[in-house]
Amino acid sequence: MEKLTFYALSAPEKLDRIGAYLSERLIRDVSRHRYGYVCIAMEALDQLLMACHCQSINLFVESFLKMVAKLLESEKPNLQILGTNSFVKFANIEEDTPSYHRSYDFFVSRFSEMCHSSHDDLDIRTKIRMSGIKGLQGVVRKTVNDELQANIWDPQHMDKIVPSLLFNLQHVEEAESRSPSPLQATEKEKESPTELAERCLRELLGRAAYGNIKNAIKPVLIHLDNHSLWEPKIFATCCFRIIMYSIQPQHSHLVIQQLLGHLDANSKSAATVRAGIVEVLSEAAVIAASGSVGPTVLEVFNTLLRQLRLSIDYALTGSYDCGAGVSTKIIKEHEERMFQEAVIKTIGSFASTLPTYQQSEVMVFIMNKVPLPSSQQSIEAGKAGENRNRLTQIMLLKSLLQVSVGFQCSNMLTALPSVFLDRLLSAALMEDAEIRLFVLEILISFIDRHGNRQKFSTISTISDISVLKLKVDKCSRQDTVFMKKHGQQLYRHIYLICKEESNVQAHYEALYSMLMLISIELANEEVMVDLIRLVLAVQEIAQINEDNLTAYNRCALFALGAAYLNLISQLTTVPTFCQHIHEVIQMRQKEAPYLLPEDVFVERPRLSKSLDRLGPEVFFWQSKISEVLGGSGYNSDRLSTPYIPQLTDEDRLSKRKSIGETISLQVEVESRNSPEREQRAPAEEITYETLKKAIVDSVAVEEQERERRRQVVEKFQKAPFEEIAAHCGARATLLQSKLNQIFEITIRPPPSPSGTITAAYGQPQNHSIPVYEMKFPDLCVY
């Protein structure tokens, strides 16, 4: 060998003839079963290959590969392993010059076949499979960086390589059961086909460029489909964990898009299969680096929400054809429910990987999909339609809650934009108790930025709030602006939710948390005053009981007010306020314990039906609270004004919209801007006195204006239909007459210079100037 190697190195042009001779000898020896000579020939080839790295190696390699192929074709396992080992050595050599005419198709097919070996002897089977995996690894290394070689990323190669590796990966459980502890595992067990296949798959995916990811992932999806590996989902999750950690991070979104496409393709598969795909998606999203979910973020959520909607339809109709014929597959409702929960979890996983601004967009996107009675979306009629709407609303709000739980934003104006908040709050006015609870939970998760939520999970009247260890920050400027803009809207909805008869303990706990979190997170002095007024108004709802609430609802509202005022009095640290609240709570403990949370919010609430005969000493009095807080610098005028929910623009979004309110707003605008009003108003001379008077009387003018608006609204709400119709008809007639005057002025021709405007019989002359030739003043021209 030394002489042969020296000869080959000194005369490289002879290499191809040496290779041809050795190849001829080896083929002859294989056919004559002289396996000793075969081993000698292969060893000689290996040594020559390792020693001779020159430009003439190309022709020698042809002979070498022919011999390796001959060994791999043999039925003897030892010859297959020998050929594979030689090929692996060759694959690790970096050649200086590219090869134009080399083909590896045979090797890919043969090595893939070896990976699926089913030899009777377990040890031999393991060795053949490992040789096959090593061979595939060698082919990938040899071809992946050489542009002139056959493209290993072509589907015809990937469809053989990837399933072969996955087939060996599937036996991970068997390998683990043989060696319970890595320390006890022998060397033989450490190097198993499973571990080798995983290493090879990681290497393959790590080398994949942007354009090749799709071809590498598609065979994985097909393999999982063909072998029904989505349903246990353990193996599928393991595979995609390997994939996500192996590929370059910037390509993560391509894998996610492939999975989404596969989910769409399996829309009519069993719920367990779809749930498996969604679970894998969830895992992949968590691993994907933040912000790399890709440019089509909303498309991801659109696909998931579409699948959610389809699942609801399947569960309701019991058919994958949504009522268009009898389905051959039996749909199990509990499996569809599992799938829906998996989708909701995945939506939360995706959202947690996104930056804050994209999370906000996603939440607006989901909220716009919620079918609301006031929205442009069609609400389906009939019982089936109602069920579908309700389930869709609940599932989408659950998804929204999942997103909001992981949402962290210090600026509430950014976190809750008007377009989102308006729709969310209109859902809070729906009659369905479950939907209202979801809305409250979503709002709470937004407002709670310091993790105080759990401290208010149970309603109680504790004597010292320091045990709660609340995290309180000073109200920021942005929070103040948010409360100025949306505070009244929030108060109004809390007030209206309190009046709902279908509320249960969970609703009151959520309302309590909501009130407390607003007090801690968003409250300045003005907000505190408004919240106290609101809670006193809620007490009045229970006291007067115009809505005929049950005894439980009334007692719950009394208890809610007591618990809130107890905590807020300790937060304001005004001794006289604390004293008044404490006195009322003590009086309730003696006279009416059923008005306190400790008796109401328990498994078996102790209630009383004689709520209308309660004495004044068990109520919190607005006049008293106004007096004690006014003495400490709070706005006593505002405190002494009872809270009445205002009619706002938001009413037009809610289900309680009245057509009279909308008309009244239009009429008000018309009457304010009408030309008659302007003509009637005399030109007033502006002096120092008039300015001073305007400043002093501004409050009175605002009150008058508010009263006038109230009268207009009341008129349109309570007046008979005939009167409203006559009023609107009169205004329409007046408007039409004005329009007719304008048209007459516009169309009438200008006076003729000669004064002869009419011809005989008083008919207008035919040659009057057309409208398009008239000269209009500049202000009239659009």
Side-chain angles (χ1 to χ4, degrees):
M1 267 315 298
E2 285 177 15
K3 287 179 181 177
L4 181 61
T5 307
F6 177 75
Y7 175 68
L9 285 170
S10 37
E13 68 276 2
K14 300 288 186 183
L15 252 179
D16 54 330
R17 290 185 64 188
I18 295 169
Y21 172 76
L22 283 171
S23 172
E24 187 185 325
R25 284 291 303 268
L26 183 130
I27 291 166
R28 192 170 64 210
D29 289 337
V30 168
S31 60
R32 292 178 181 177
H33 304 289
R34 294 177 176 174
Y35 300 125
Y37 288 115
V38 171
C39 293
I40 292 167
M42 279 316 293
E43 195 176 332
L45 279 168
D46 288 347
Q47 288 194 31
L48 283 173
L49 199 60
M50 301 304 286
C52 305
H53 285 218
C54 61
Q55 293 185 357
S56 311
I57 200 173
N58 267 338
L59 293 172
F60 175 65
V61 168
E62 293 303 317
S63 303
F64 170 77
L65 290 177
K66 195 188 296 180
M67 288 185 281
V68 171
K70 187 69 181 172
L71 291 178
L72 292 174
E73 284 172 351
S74 166
E75 291 180 5
K76 297 283 183 185
N78 289 339
L79 291 185
Q80 292 174 16
I81 293 165
L82 182 68
T84 305
N85 291 341
S86 291
F87 183 83
V88 171
K89 287 175 191 170
F90 159 69
N92 290 326
I93 295 172
E94 290 185 17
E95 296 180 57
D96 299 330
T97 53
S99 169
Y100 292 88
H101 53 279
R102 215 178 282 163
S103 171
Y104 292 99
D105 291 9
F106 165 78
F107 294 102
V108 171
S109 300
R110 185 66 188 127
F111 288 137
S112 299
E113 197 178 331
M114 287 167 70
C115 287
H116 290 85
S117 170
S118 55
H119 198 281
D120 296 335
D121 190 320
L122 179 62
D123 285 341
I124 293 173
R125 183 167 72 224
T126 304
K127 283 178 182 173
I128 294 173
R129 286 186 181 182
M130 286 179 71
S131 291
I133 296 165
K134 285 176 183 172
L136 288 177
Q137 196 172 23
V139 173
V140 170
R141 283 179 184 171
K142 201 69 191 162
T143 56
V144 78
N145 292 324
D146 193 343
E147 292 178 4
L148 296 168
Q149 305 283 351
N151 188 1
I152 200 70
W153 300 107
D154 283 347
Q156 74 229 36
H157 299 311
M158 281 288 118
D159 289 347
K160 293 172 186 170
I161 294 171
V162 173
S164 303
L165 298 175
L166 292 177
F167 176 76
N168 284 282
L169 262 178
Q170 274 173 253
H171 300 281
V172 65
E173 293 87 358
E174 292 175 22
E176 281 176 1
S177 63
R178 283 203 305 270
S179 54
S181 164
L183 297 171
Q184 296 168 7
T186 62
E187 283 299 318
K188 186 181 175 184
E189 284 177 346
K190 278 183 183 173
E191 190 67 354
S192 65
T194 302
E195 289 165 10
L196 196 59
E198 182 179 332
R199 201 157 62 241
C200 185
L201 184 62
R202 287 183 187 279
E203 187 179 332
L204 176 71
L205 293 164
R207 293 170 183 268
Y210 181 86
N212 304 326
I213 292 284
K214 188 176 179 183
N215 288 349
I217 302 301
K218 194 174 179 185
V220 178
L221 299 171
I222 292 168
H223 182 82
L224 294 171
D225 282 348
N226 292 343
H227 296 272
S228 304
L229 294 169
W230 291 112
E231 289 176 40
K233 82 190 173 211
I234 298 163
F235 178 70
T237 307
C238 173
C239 275
F240 274 89
R241 214 175 271 143
I242 291 169
I243 291 167
M244 295 306 290
Y245 281 122
S246 302
I247 60 172
Q248 296 170 41
Q250 65 268 28
H251 301 334
S252 299
H253 67 277
L254 293 173
V255 179
I256 286 166
Q257 282 173 359
Q258 286 275 94
L259 278 165
L260 287 166
H262 198 64
L263 181 60
D264 273 344
N266 281 277
S267 288
K268 294 189 178 180
S269 298
T272 47
V273 172
R274 283 177 285 133
I277 300 172
V278 167
E279 287 280 351
V280 170
L281 255 172
S282 179
E283 287 280 337
V286 171
I287 295 166
S290 178
S292 75
V293 176
T296 55
V297 172
L298 292 182
E299 189 53 41
V300 172
F301 290 93
N302 199 23
T303 303
L304 289 170
L305 295 177
R306 183 167 63 248
Q307 290 297 326
L308 201 58
R309 187 78 191 236
L310 279 172
S311 176
I312 290 166
D313 286 343
Y314 295 158
L316 286 171
T317 58
S319 161
Y320 286 122
D321 301 324
C322 295
V326 180
S327 173
T328 53
K329 296 176 185 174
I330 299 167
I331 292 177
K332 295 174 181 171
E333 199 171 333
H334 73 276
E335 287 182 356
E336 289 296 340
R337 190 62 51 82
M338 271 172 44
F339 169 71
Q340 290 159 15
E341 293 298 333
V343 171
I344 290 166
K345 180 188 163 194
T346 305
I347 286 172
S349 301
F350 265 117
S352 65
T353 67
L354 298 175
T356 306
Y357 75 93
Q358 280 188 325
Q359 284 182 326
S360 295
E361 285 175 12
V362 166
M363 287 188 288
V364 172
F365 179 75
I366 296 173
M367 195 63 227
N368 285 337
K369 295 269 182 189
V370 178
L372 297 175
S374 55
S375 68
Q376 296 301 316
Q377 296 174 1
S378 58
I379 293 288
E380 297 177 54
K383 193 167 183 184
E386 282 174 19
N387 285 341
R388 185 175 284 111
N389 290 328
R390 182 179 177 276
L391 281 171
T392 307
Q393 287 160 352
I394 287 171
M395 289 302 164
L396 291 176
L397 288 171
K398 264 190 185 178
S399 307
L400 200 56
L401 182 59
Q402 208 54 332
V403 178
S404 66
V405 165
F407 183 72
Q408 290 295 327
C409 183
S410 56
N411 189 346
M412 289 299 293
L413 282 168
T414 312
L416 291 168
S418 297
V419 64
F420 174 78
L421 190 61
D422 289 347
R423 284 185 63 82
L424 184 63
L425 288 175
S426 62
L429 296 181
M430 295 182 76
E431 291 171 11
D432 193 288
E434 196 175 354
I435 290 172
R436 289 201 307 276
L437 188 57
F438 275 124
V439 172
L440 286 171
E441 291 292 344
I442 290 164
L443 285 169
I444 287 166
S445 64
F446 278 117
I447 297 169
D448 182 23
R449 291 168 294 179
H450 294 91
N452 290 315
R453 165 74 170 101
Q454 292 307 315
K455 294 162 188 175
F456 304 119
S457 54
T458 54
I459 309 177
S460 63
T461 51
I462 55 171
S463 55
D464 183 11
I465 62 164
S466 61
V467 296
L468 295 176
K469 295 179 182 174
L470 299 173
K471 295 175 186 173
V472 184
D473 276 350
K474 191 180 176 186
C475 181
S476 67
R477 184 174 166 277
Q478 289 95 336
D479 291 344
T480 306
V481 173
F482 173 80
M483 288 309 287
K484 276 189 182 298
K485 189 176 180 183
H486 299 295
Q488 293 302 325
Q489 214 177 351
L490 287 171
Y491 306 148
R492 180 173 180 278
H493 283 85
I494 291 170
Y495 181 83
L496 290 173
I497 292 171
C498 286
K499 294 175 81 166
E500 294 287 349
E501 195 175 341
S502 55
N503 288 343
V504 294
Q505 184 173 335
H507 290 87
Y508 296 114
E509 285 170 355
L511 285 164
Y512 175 65
S513 298
M514 178 99 166
L515 287 165
M516 284 312 307
L517 288 168
I518 293 174
S519 308
I520 292 170
E521 297 277 354
L522 305 170
N524 53 21
E525 193 176 300
E526 188 180 331
V527 172
M528 284 285 201
V529 167
D530 282 342
L531 286 169
I532 291 167
R533 289 172 61 223
L534 172 63
V535 171
L536 291 169
V538 168
Q539 177 187 260
E540 197 175 339
I541 292 173
Q543 197 175 346
I544 297 170
N545 197 22
E546 288 178 347
D547 298 288
N548 295 321
L549 297 172
T550 62
Y552 173 75
N553 292 129
R554 293 177 71 185
C555 288
L557 291 179
F558 282 125
L560 175 70
Y564 175 75
L565 289 171
N566 173 55
L567 279 186
I568 205 76
S569 64
Q570 293 180 57
L571 278 176
T572 52
T573 62
V574 177
T576 48
F577 182 33
C578 293
Q579 187 184 346
H580 170 63
I581 302 301
H582 189 59
E583 282 171 2
V584 174
I585 289 172
Q586 277 188 326
M587 191 57 70
R588 284 189 181 185
Q589 285 168 348
K590 289 178 189 172
E591 305 287 334
Y594 46 82
L595 302 184
L596 291 172
E598 286 78 6
D599 274 36
V600 177
F601 301 117
V602 288
E603 195 174 336
R604 292 182 179 176
R606 292 181 285 279
L607 307 175
S608 168
K609 292 184 180 177
S610 59
L611 293 173
D612 296 324
R613 296 196 293 274
L614 293 169
E617 66 279 357
V618 296
F619 296 122
F620 301 100
W621 290 99
Q622 190 151 2
S623 54
K624 179 71 176 172
I625 291 173
S626 170
E627 181 188 325
V628 294
L629 285 179
S632 300
Y634 286 83
N635 186 339
S636 57
D637 290 343
R638 192 170 179 81
L639 266 169
S640 57
T641 312
Y643 172 77
I644 298 168
Q646 295 178 357
L647 287 169
T648 61
D649 290 346
E650 190 271 337
D651 283 320
R652 285 178 287 174
L653 295 169
S654 81
K655 70 183 175 87
R656 296 160 196 248
K657 171 182 169 183
S658 157
I659 194 155
E661 292 166 18
T662 314
I663 295 169
S664 68
L665 288 168
Q666 293 168 353
V667 170
E668 189 183 331
V669 171
E670 283 173 13
S671 62
R672 195 184 298 167
N673 299 332
S674 64
E676 295 169 353
R677 185 183 171 92
E678 288 173 15
Q679 287 172 8
R680 282 200 301 272
E684 190 177 351
E685 186 184 352
I686 297 170
T687 62
Y688 170 75
E689 287 299 322
T690 55
L691 285 172
K692 183 179 175 184
K693 188 177 177 185
I695 292 165
V696 171
D697 294 348
S698 62
V699 177
V701 170
E702 280 178 18
E703 287 294 330
Q704 288 173 7
E705 186 69 17
R706 199 177 292 120
E707 180 61 25
R708 195 181 67 76
R709 281 186 200 167
R710 194 188 62 73
Q711 286 173 359
V712 171
V713 169
E714 196 174 320
K715 176 184 174 185
F716 275 87
Q717 282 178 332
K718 296 182 179 175
F721 175 74
E722 291 78 10
E723 189 182 326
I724 295 171
H727 178 71
C728 292
R731 295 202 65 80
T733 311
L734 179 66
L735 180 63
Q736 189 60 47
S737 64
K738 291 281 180 192
L739 285 170
N740 290 340
Q741 288 176 23
I742 292 164
F743 290 146
E744 279 176 23
I745 294 165
T746 310
I747 296 166
R748 189 185 301 154
S752 168
S754 61
T756 55
I757 289 179
T758 55
Y761 306 106
Q763 295 296 325
Q765 59 185 6
N766 294 331
H767 58 272
S768 62
I769 302 167
V771 173
Y772 56 82
E773 288 183 7
M774 288 182 188
K775 298 290 182 189
F776 288 97
D778 288 345
L779 287 173
C780 294
V781 180
Y782 179 69

